[in-house]
Amino acid sequence: MPGDSQRLQKIIAAAGLASRRHAEQLILDGRVQLNGAVVTELGTKADPERDHIRVDGKLLHGPARSRYYLVNKPKGYVTTVSDPQKRPTVMQLVAREGARLYPVGRLDFHSEGLLLMTNDGELAHRLMHAATGIEKTYLVKVSGQPNERQIEQLRRGVMIERAREPGQGRVMTAPAAIRLFRAGENPWFEVKLIEGRNRQLRKMFEEIGFPVEKIRRIGYGPLVLDIPPGEYRELDAQEIEGLQRATTRPGGNRATDRALARAANQPRRRQVSGGAKPTRRKGGAKPRRPASTQ
């Protein structure tokens, strides 16, 4: 029913054109028009059924079908839509889908593992909000052998540089769950975090004197990495619901609710980004063992 006014950035995100954060930047850059007038105020509201909204001159249509993909990002890809240095981006891994998808959060160029990609800008915004506290699980290989006292320091929290470059202040990390995953001269640790600061894992281990050699994310909230590097698959209804529960607030997310109803009747697909045909698992069962560390 007309009259349901919403913030412009929310409408743009629901249409699958951009994440909420990117939509806000589009407005600030003067690239959004409301009924013929350029809008640069983030608090501006509109009725998506009655008002004419244009982004870069193109008329915005209704909400896009919400899509959710689990991607196993290989090392050597940047987690951005485009890269000025022309490095490979995660968008190339899902290019065959032909949908406007955006990565939720980041894995740096040298890290690998589980990455969520979606066109549900509202859910993406809620997942990335600092207050959500989504648990993220990593396997971390370090150079050298930290002792239990040093690992306990990391569990309690350590001071790290706030930004990529030193000199912009330091911040205390939140408590983390850490256990030895595989012993060796350069051991692997399983680390669970509820925050995602810039290069946080690398900075944490550097603070106790042990550089990080490899990082692989194997869990994100209810999601578990279960596909080879470079491949991707759609989330099933249970996984979408798990993400929604992790960010629950009054009113819920209508786009996610619609996606849940569709996903409940669709088999899971696993895709190979190199162009191979999708494969289906018999019975739809999903293994819960994370990818091995090699």
Side-chain angles (χ1 to χ4, degrees):
M1 179 177 180
D4 182 17
S5 294
Q6 303 172 30
R7 291 181 182 270
L8 270 177
Q9 58 264 40
K10 183 176 180 180
I11 296 173
I12 295 170
L17 189 61
S19 66
R20 171 97 67 101
R21 188 173 299 175
H22 185 211
E24 291 175 350
Q25 193 59 52
L26 291 174
I27 295 170
L28 292 173
D29 291 343
R31 296 166 62 184
V32 178
Q33 290 178 305
L34 175 60
N35 298 324
V38 174
V39 177
T40 56
E41 294 289 335
L42 293 181
T44 303
K45 291 188 176 182
D47 183 341
E49 297 183 25
R50 189 170 53 187
D51 293 318
H52 291 267
I53 303 167
R54 293 180 181 273
V55 178
D56 290 336
K58 295 181 180 179
L59 186 64
L60 201 66
H61 298 287
R65 174 196 166 195
S66 296
R67 310 283 291 273
Y68 308 85
Y69 293 93
L70 184 156
V71 180
N72 188 346
K73 172 197 169 305
K75 179 180 178 181
Y77 283 76
V78 290
T79 313
T80 56
V81 174
S82 61
D83 181 58
Q85 300 178 43
K86 306 301 182 184
R87 294 172 295 180
T89 77
V90 293
M91 304 305 295
Q92 295 170 237
L93 300 175
V94 294
R96 61 179 288 147
E97 289 302 316
R100 290 179 178 272
L101 300 170
Y102 303 90
V104 178
R106 291 179 182 272
L107 283 174
D108 68 38
F109 185 75
H110 297 290
S111 298
E112 57 190 73
L114 195 161
L115 182 68
L116 174 64
M117 297 188 69
T118 181
N119 62 350
D120 186 342
E122 175 66 15
L123 180 63
H125 175 76
R126 288 157 54 189
L127 286 169
M128 290 188 290
H129 197 279
T132 298
I134 300 292
E135 184 179 82
K136 294 165 281 287
T137 306
Y138 301 85
L139 296 181
V140 182
K141 184 179 182 182
V142 300
S143 177
Q145 298 177 320
N147 58 40
E148 182 61 22
R149 179 183 58 80
Q150 292 166 319
I151 294 299
E152 186 59 30
Q153 282 183 262
L154 300 182
R155 292 190 182 112
R156 293 196 304 267
V158 293
M159 296 294 291
I160 62 172
E161 293 291 337
R162 183 184 299 274
R164 180 179 291 270
E165 299 299 329
Q168 300 186 39
R170 289 167 67 81
V171 63
M172 176 69 75
T173 61
I178 305 177
R179 71 178 183 90
L180 180 64
F181 182 80
R182 178 177 296 173
E185 291 184 7
N186 300 311
W188 287 84
F189 291 90
E190 180 188 84
V191 183
K192 295 185 178 183
L193 303 177
I194 57 169
E195 56 184 355
R197 300 184 183 278
N198 180 268
R199 298 174 61 83
Q200 179 170 340
L201 286 167
R202 299 182 189 279
K203 292 176 181 178
M204 285 170 59
F205 280 92
E206 285 170 2
E207 280 296 317
I208 61 170
F210 295 88
V212 167
E213 293 187 352
K214 293 182 180 180
I215 296 176
R216 179 177 299 133
R217 183 156 67 192
I218 60 171
Y220 184 90
L223 307 182
V224 175
L225 185 65
D226 59 0
I227 53 176
E231 294 190 17
Y232 66 95
R233 64 168 176 80
E234 284 198 82
L235 302 191
D236 60 30
Q238 183 178 358
E239 290 170 323
I240 298 172
E241 185 176 12
L243 289 173
Q244 187 182 34
R245 283 200 307 268
T247 62
T248 296
R249 67 180 183 187
N253 184 337
R254 293 177 183 175
T256 309
D257 291 340
R258 290 194 295 269
L260 277 169
R262 285 192 298 268
N265 297 313
Q266 293 178 354
R268 174 181 297 173
R269 297 184 301 149
R270 186 181 76 183
Q271 304 274 4
V272 181
S273 30
K277 294 181 179 179
T279 59
R280 298 175 187 263
R281 290 196 184 88
K282 294 182 179 180
K286 178 179 68 175
R288 288 290 174 178
R289 182 180 300 171
S292 61
T293 58
Q294 306 218 354

